[in-house]
Amino acid sequence: MINKMNELNRMGGIVSVCLYPISEVKYCFVQNGKVYFNSEWSGLVLPLLSFRGTPNSDNDEKPSGVVYSHSLSLPIRYKPSWIDLYLRHGFVAVVTSSTGVRWVFGTKRYPLFGHCKPHIGTTPSDGEYYLLSLSAECDTEVSPLAD
């Protein structure tokens, strides 16, 4: 668990994010530390701003077992017209890091939900953008996608 979390925390920036509406996910499960995922869709690619996205994963031990929190905070250039509709139904996100590893956030059983709000940067070079925040509480940790 610790090694995988250290790996995730050293992702080195997000290159791309594909969102898969939960209704389009055929299956998504973890076996031997890898995620097996299938969707008939090619995914909805987000218009990211550089490498400033923030992935996070944490765990909390409870009497009923371990709960894993998956979260993404992603600055995007504009708000896609489809985003509000799908935010109500949930997503599974496949995040590609700068090292080429594809990580899966959320599951079919525990999809990501969130919101997309306008954000004004703190410096003139930041400009204005939208901040997409997604999170889920899952029964598995964030894991790399199986090849």
Side-chain angles (χ1 to χ4, degrees):
M1 165 68 183
I2 301 274
N3 290 340
K4 192 175 286 188
M5 290 307 304
N6 286 339
E7 220 176 300
L8 176 66
N9 292 334
R10 289 193 307 261
M11 282 176 67
I14 295 174
V15 174
S16 68
V17 176
C18 281
L19 298 180
Y20 296 85
I22 205 64
S23 60
E24 302 301 327
V25 175
K26 291 171 104 176
Y27 61 81
C28 181
F29 64 91
V30 177
Q31 185 176 10
N32 298 327
K34 296 276 188 179
V35 176
Y36 293 85
F37 175 82
N38 190 350
S39 174
E40 291 183 1
W41 276 34
S42 58
L44 304 163
V45 180
L46 287 175
L48 294 177
L49 279 175
S50 66
F51 295 109
R52 296 190 298 181
T54 308
N56 194 24
S57 181
D58 201 5
N59 66 330
D60 186 17
E61 293 196 31
K62 297 187 177 191
S64 59
V66 179
V67 175
Y68 298 93
S69 298
H70 300 192
S71 65
L72 290 166
S73 181
L74 304 165
I76 55 177
R77 296 180 199 284
Y78 58 89
K79 185 177 179 179
S81 58
W82 47 263
I83 198 82
D84 286 329
L85 172 68
Y86 289 121
L87 280 172
R88 288 192 289 272
H89 299 289
F91 290 102
V92 171
V94 176
V95 176
T96 304
S97 71
S98 60
T99 58
V101 177
R102 293 182 303 162
W103 297 88
V104 178
F105 286 76
T107 65
K108 185 167 177 67
R109 188 172 174 195
Y110 301 101
L112 296 164
F113 291 97
H115 53 82
C116 186
K117 296 182 177 179
H119 186 78
I120 299 171
T122 54
T123 66
S125 63
D126 289 342
E128 294 180 11
Y129 54 91
Y130 284 87
L131 191 61
L132 177 62
S133 299
L134 301 169
S135 64
E137 287 194 345
C138 300
D139 57 353
T140 61
E141 59 188 318
V142 171
S143 299
L145 188 64
D147 295 326

